[in-house]
Structure formats: structure tokens, C-alpha cells
Amino acid sequence: GENVEQHPSTLSVQEGDSAVIKCTYSDSASNYFPWYKQELGKGPQLIIDIRSNVGEKKDQRIAVTLNKTAKHFSLHITETQPEDSAVYFCAASISPGGGKLTFGQGTILTVHP
Amino acid sequence: DVKVTQSSRYLVKRTGEKVFLECVQDMDHENMFWYRQDPGLGLRLIYFSYDVKMKEKGDIPEGYSVSREKKERFSLILESASTNQTSMYLCASSYWGQANYGYTFGSGTRLTVV
């Protein structure tokens, strides 16, 4: 089955810096790659996603890039703010829309004021 | 505005007890999922369901079962709780369709087995 590896496990940045989280996946049939943000005491929430026919997608300060050949994808957060502090999860899916996801191990991002 | 509701936020059970974790969604989603979250391991899929009465094993189904008698409700059952099932349990639902692939998660149930 699919395996998703996520790095780093913890990331500490100063407010205003950029943060990058990277994931690799094993199954070349995977075609959907979402990113989730989990704040303390809450369930994960979808923040951005990308499909295999797209190389990059941006939404304000966050962006995701996908390299299908290398089977890796990354989350980029620019101009980080303290409220960006959370646990971030990447995931991959080979199922049609809405199907099961395989998640990475998570990255604890801390943004220092 | 709550869309996926998990019945308990915190739960403490004894080893050997039968435990029921309930999840209800009000978005008419076809798909529902149970994951467990452990530090350093991420979210691991226990069971999922794409329709009423339907269930499929995820990556770590041992020691668990599920029930989906109604579209909006998906229950996770620990047949005989063990200490290694102490974890955060997350329920999620999603809609089949090209327009929306995302999961909606509940807030989680932190289960401690003593």
C-alpha cells in the first residue's frame, strides 16, 4: 500500500520567516495530495491540496509544489505568523475523490514572535 | 456550525472493557473514516465506510470493529480494550465527487485504557 514520509518532525522559525515541510510518497498511482493543519485541541483541517495534473498551487501565504517524477511534494508558508503554529500533516490518495488518505507523520511548526 | 461530532472528548476505560466510540456527521457525506493519532506516527487508518452497511479494513484494524447502520453515524468498537489502544481517535467524513476531495474531521476522542 501507499507509504508517506514527512520531514522534519519539528520546525521552529521566527515570525516573518518562511517554513517548508516536505513529503515523499511511494505509490506512483497516487493522484491527490492534501495538507492539513491541526491546532491544539482540534481535529485536522484542510488548508490546501493539489492534484497530480498540477505542479504548483498557491493560496495567499501558503503554496504546495508537486514533483511526480521524484514522488515528493512540499508545503511552503511565507511570512509566518504565530497563529501558523500547529501540527501539519501531508497525505496522499490513489482513490477517486473523497476516498481514503494515507497520512505522513506530522510536523510540529512553532513560530516565535 | 458543528459538522462532525464525536460523542466523547475524553474517555477512560479499563483493560478488557468493550468500548464504543460514536461519530455523527450532518453533511450527508457518503464516506466515513476512523483514524488513530499517535505522536511520531501520524494518522493511521483503522476502518472506513463508503456506504451504509459497508465497511472496509484500513491499515491497522486488529482489535477494532465498526458499525454503520445509518448514513450519518459511524461507530468504532474496541472489542476488548488494551493499554496499547490508548490513543487519540479521529473520525472524518467526505463526499464523493470531483469538486471536493477534502475530509472534515471531528475534534477527536482521547481514550486512555488503564
Side-chain angles (χ1 to χ4, degrees), chain B residues 3-4 7-8 10 12 16 18 26 33 39 42 46 49 53 58 64 69 82-83 96-97 99-101 103 105 107 114:
Chain B
K3 297 181 177 179
V4 177
S7 55
S8 303
Y10 298 95
V12 180
K18 190 169 186 177
D26 63 0
F33 308 84
I46 305 171
S49 169
K53 305 278 188 183
Y64 303 94
E69 296 295 319
S82 64
T83 55
W96 278 123
N100 177 13
Y101 283 37
Y103 281 11
F105 279 93
S107 296
V114 297

Side-chain angles (χ1 to χ4, degrees), chain A residues 82-94:
Chain A
E83 51 265 39
D84 294 328
S85 296
V87 182
Y88 291 81
F89 293 97
C90 63
S93 175
I94 62 171

Side-chain angles (χ1 to χ4, degrees), chain A residues 34-49:
Chain A
W35 286 88
Y36 285 80
K37 175 184 181 182
Q38 185 179 29
E39 296 175 336
L40 201 61
K42 298 182 179 180
Q45 188 168 16
L46 178 69
I47 56 171
I48 195 168
D49 57 11

Side-chain angles (χ1 to χ4, degrees), chain A residues 32 36 38 41-44 46 51 89 95-101 103-105, chain B residues 9 31 33 35 37 40 42-43 45 50 94-98 101 103 105-107:
Chain A
Y32 173 64
Y36 285 80
Q38 185 179 29
K42 298 182 179 180
L46 178 69
R51 300 174 194 180
F89 293 97
S95 300
K100 68 173 187 174
L101 295 171
F103 285 85
Q105 294 83 356
Chain B
R9 190 77 179 93
N31 312 324
F33 308 84
Y35 285 83
Q37 179 178 4
L43 278 66
L45 182 62
Y50 289 156
S94 71
Y95 165 73
W96 278 123
Q98 295 296 315
Y101 283 37
Y103 281 11
F105 279 93
S107 296

Side-chain angles (χ1 to χ4, degrees), chain A residues 13-29:
Chain A
V13 300
Q14 290 295 129
E15 183 176 1
D17 288 350
S18 295
V20 180
I21 303 170
K22 298 182 179 182
C23 290
T24 60
Y25 62 98
S26 61
D27 193 333
S28 57

Side-chain angles (χ1 to χ4, degrees), chain A residues 62-79:
Chain A
I62 60 173
V64 57
T65 58
L66 171 65
N67 183 326
K68 287 180 60 181
T69 303
K71 289 191 283 188
H72 69 71
F73 56 112
S74 300
L75 177 72
H76 304 253
I77 306 174
T78 59
E79 301 173 18

